[in-house]
Amino acid sequence: MTDEKQHRLKELQAKYGALPIEKLLEALIKTEFAGKIASFSSFGSWSALLLDIVAKIDNTTPVLFLETGKHFPETLEFVETIKSKIGLKNIIALTPDEKILANADANGTLWQINVNRCCWIRKVEPLDRHLTEVGYDAVITGRRSYQTKEREGMATIELDDQNRFRINPFAFWSKDEIKAEFNKRGLPQHPLYDKGYPSIGCAPCTRMVKPGEDERAGRWAHVADLSTGSDKQKQECGIHLDRKDVAEFAI
Ligand code: SF4
């Protein structure tokens, strides 16, 4: 993290950190990082809220979607629904490197034995390759601090380990606030949400949630049952982690 970036981080936090979400994102998309900012989206439940706000500011903002090749068909349909209902014009699907895939996951079953390496191949590597090629200065995420232990300490504006600004406009929003704003705007929900999937990732690594379980309990729920070297359920795919923490899974 350079001194110059640290200084700019403090300036951005002081200037915009307490603004309402629309004003915050408008300033960052149109002024501070014009042409150099993208939004991540998993196109999961509640994703439409961030995308609607971004689209209303500038519907040509790049929206990065990790097309892992392992999504539910419903998620791919939902991308099209969002495109037409919200009017996003620049959704960029990032796909795994074909050579890496052929060498390390030729039959597509790596998720059964090494989820961290599978996530690195299908998510982290394609994302980092694209971010570097384009040279974005900032990315917007829909993460909320209540979601996981790893997300608890996040700030609305922060710097990642690659010296890129990360904007988390919902960092301090509660679940109820997200739902209320989502419903107020009449946004489309992921088709699996009402079927027992409150948090949706790749199909092999997402199961239905049982009554009373945490909303992310269905993510990577198989990991604790496998001989992956860990008996702890995986919580993050890796794209939001420091790269030193996932370096061992790189190929
Ligand atoms: S979520 Fe599962 S299938 Fe998707 S990239 Fe990660 S391990 Fe592979």
Side-chain angles (χ1 to χ4, degrees):
M1 213 179 276
T2 63
D3 287 350
E4 191 193 332
K5 285 278 173 101
Q6 271 295 354
H7 181 69
R8 190 160 183 221
L9 174 63
K10 284 191 182 136
E11 274 184 352
L12 291 170
Q13 286 173 332
K15 205 166 167 189
Y16 305 115
L19 287 183
I21 190 164
E22 289 92 345
K23 298 267 181 217
L24 164 74
L25 290 182
E26 183 168 18
L28 299 180
I29 291 171
K30 290 195 165 171
T31 308
E32 293 287 348
F33 299 112
K36 289 284 198 177
I37 188 166
S39 181
F40 292 147
S41 185
S42 64
F43 289 86
S45 52
W46 314 113
S47 289
L49 179 54
L50 175 61
L51 296 174
D52 189 55
I53 295 168
V54 168
K56 284 191 164 69
I57 294 166
D58 179 355
N59 67 359
T60 66
T61 305
V63 173
L64 310 183
F65 171 56
L66 295 165
E67 192 2 335
T68 61
K70 293 288 182 187
H71 286 293
F72 289 102
E74 289 89 341
T75 299
L76 302 180
E77 283 163 26
F78 189 53
V79 173
E80 296 307 313
T81 304
I82 293 268
K83 233 190 250 180
S84 61
K85 292 214 167 151
I86 291 183
L88 285 165
K89 295 201 179 316
N90 195 10
I91 297 173
I92 301 172
L94 305 179
T95 54
D97 180 281
E98 283 181 17
K99 274 194 193 146
I100 297 179
L101 213 50
N103 286 333
D105 193 13
N107 59 9
T109 55
L110 187 58
W111 63 272
Q112 295 178 0
I113 52 170
N114 192 336
V115 283
N116 289 318
R117 174 149 290 158
C118 185
C119 279
W120 185 89
I121 292 171
R122 294 176 184 273
K123 295 185 176 183
V124 178
E125 191 282 333
L127 177 66
D128 285 356
R129 182 163 26 98
H130 179 74
L131 293 176
T132 304
E133 275 168 13
V134 177
Y136 297 105
D137 288 335
V139 290
I140 305 165
T141 88
R143 296 178 306 155
R144 285 89 75 187
S145 48
Y146 69 75
Q147 289 177 303
T148 65
K149 210 168 170 31
E150 286 83 353
R151 299 182 183 187
E152 274 173 7
M154 76 168 75
T156 303
I157 306 174
E158 55 189 12
L159 259 178
D160 67 18
D161 63 321
Q162 295 160 84
N163 257 328
R164 191 175 290 112
F165 290 97
R166 193 176 290 174
I167 317 302
N168 310 304
F170 298 119
F172 302 110
W173 284 44
S174 68
K175 222 180 281 184
D176 287 345
E177 286 171 321
I178 297 276
K179 285 183 186 175
E181 186 63 25
F182 185 95
N183 292 334
K184 193 174 99 187
R185 290 172 182 248
L187 294 169
Q189 182 53 283
H190 192 293
L192 291 178
Y193 179 80
D194 284 335
K195 295 182 178 168
Y197 295 83
S199 176
I200 302 148
C202 292
C205 300
T206 306
R207 67 149 168 79
M208 281 173 74
V209 166
K210 297 169 199 151
E213 278 188 324
D214 181 84
E215 67 175 35
R216 285 178 74 88
R219 303 291 298 277
W220 298 288
H222 64 296
V223 171
D225 303 322
L226 298 175
S227 354
T228 56
S230 167
D231 58 0
K232 185 173 162 281
Q233 190 172 331
K234 180 175 159 77
Q235 289 292 325
E236 295 279 350
C237 67
I239 64 168
H240 299 302
L241 300 177
D242 277 8
R243 292 304 183 260
K244 68 174 166 33
D245 296 333
V246 293
E248 66 181 291
F249 307 111
I251 293 175

